[in-house]
């Protein structure tokens, strides 16, 4: 598997520390690499929320915000680049892995150029996560910098084949992009016996639908409610909404309009999402765009089949008629019909088994060595041209 297993590396990881797929993937990757003996240095503006424990192989470096009367906001990219220079020099890092192109890839480029003047070449790997390409990155106000920085990175990975394709079609990029998908810690995300919780939520034996997201427009949470509303008119049902974000007030107001407040619970930014997934029957992901769909993978690992749209990387994860069903964006009638198909007592157990089998293909134990191997290739390539 990994030729690098015995080669311990000093790796810098830069990510968004907030709730959100890219930060979760970056943090979980750092933890897995630390478990495999590498020294991992996280560089960001606050402690990543899944990094709340001690590990002898993990160090956290905070980028301190600075203000000055002339600045409207803190110049984060410059502060981050300066911190990267400092950490690379003093901790003798061998590779920098930045997650989400904006602004991490450009800050890393700046840091790498500064370090050259100190006689140090630090290879930079950029992982594209999705909205950095599909929404924000393609905006003309960002596109020239994103294109340049992707080119300048020593290595580029994307979390799905579809994101790789979209990157090539959106930007003028000739560089090789390696696809390394999202992954899951199967020791944490597994179906747990939480029947007491299920009884509390579904006292009359109702079916239970779950949605997890950051409640941004792109997640189309209003479609979750539309699907749920159609399902509950056929079969008694409850809905749990995990997460929070800008669309929440609108979603709360829809709940009132459709008189569903007693059947829907908002759980907020819950850390132990696997406990909720353990009692769910179906997971709903009607996103407008989704480069991979980490939240759906978490559900599948807990044996919950998925109703999703057929956009982006979702067809690489959710297999039509096997682990759930896929529909065009906004096709809420079809998604509601398919939810009812999944809930059929004779069908659901097999869908649950299939979902788990599919999740196993994205086991962190398989994907972490793929990143190690990729780092090794990039280090070899960079060492040969630096020599
Ligand atoms: O959309 C989110 O949930 C957040 C976003 C992020 O960048 O933090 O997630 C993106 O990256 C995840 C991890 O690689 C992917 O699993 C998500 O599909 C992707 N989101 C979108 O493409 C909308």
């Amino acid at each position: 598997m990994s030729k690098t297993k015995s080669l311990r590396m000093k790796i810098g990881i830069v990510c968004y520390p907030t709730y959100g797929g890219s930060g979760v993937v970056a943090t979980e990757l750092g933890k897995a690499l630390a478990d495999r003996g590498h020294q991992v240095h996280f560089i960001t503006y606050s402690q990543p929320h899944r990094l709340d424990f001690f590990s002898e192989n993990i160090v956290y470096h905070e980028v301190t915000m600075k203000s000055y009367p002339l600045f409207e906001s803190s110049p984060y990219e410059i502060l981050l680049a300066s911190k990267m220079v400092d950490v690379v020099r003093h901790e003798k890092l061998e590779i920098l892995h930045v997650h989400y192109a904006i602004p991490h890839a450009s800050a890393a480029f700046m840091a790498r150029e500064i370090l050259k003047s100190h006689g140090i070449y630090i290879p930079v790997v950029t992982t594209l996560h999705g909205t950095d390409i599909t929404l924000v990155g393609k905006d003309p106000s960002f596109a020239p910098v994103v294109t340049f920085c992707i080119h300048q990175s020593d290595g580029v990975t994307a979390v799905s084949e579809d994101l790789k394709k979209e990157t090539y079609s959106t930007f003028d990029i000739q560089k090789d992009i390696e696809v390394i998908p999202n992954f899951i810690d199967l020791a944490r995300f597994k179906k747990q016996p939480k029947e007491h919780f299920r009884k509390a939520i579904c006292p009359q034996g109702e079916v239970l639908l779950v949605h997890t997201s950051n409640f941004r427009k792109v997640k189309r949470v209003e479609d979750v409610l539309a699907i749920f509303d159609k399902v509950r008119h056929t079969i008694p049902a409850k809905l749990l909404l995990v997460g929070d974000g800008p669309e929440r007030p609108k979603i709360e107001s829809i709940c009132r309009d459709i008189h569903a407040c007693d059947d829907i619970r908002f759980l907020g930014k819950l850390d132990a999402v696997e406990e909720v997934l353990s009692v769910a029957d179906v997971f709903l992901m009607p996103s407008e765009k989704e480069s991979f769909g980490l939240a759906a993978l978490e559900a599948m690992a807990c044996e919950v089949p998925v109703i999703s749209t057929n956009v982006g990387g979702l067809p690489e994860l959710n297999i039509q008629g096997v682990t759930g069903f896929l529909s065009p964006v906004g096709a809420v009638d079809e998604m509601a019909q398919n939810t009812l198909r999944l809930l059929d007592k004779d069908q659901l157990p097999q869908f649950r088994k299939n979902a788990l089998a599919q999740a196993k293909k994205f086991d962190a134990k398989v994907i972490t060595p793929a990143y190690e191997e990729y780092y090794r290739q990039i280090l070899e390539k960079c060492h040969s041209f630096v020599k």
Side-chain angles (χ1 to χ4, degrees), residues 20-23 25 100 129-131 159 182 214 218-219 289-294:
S22 66
V25 168
Y100 208 88
H129 279 273
T131 49
V159 299
N182 284 178
N214 50 21
V218 69
K219 302 294 174 180
K289 284 183 190 298
E290 204 66 64
S291 65
F292 181 88
L294 181 62

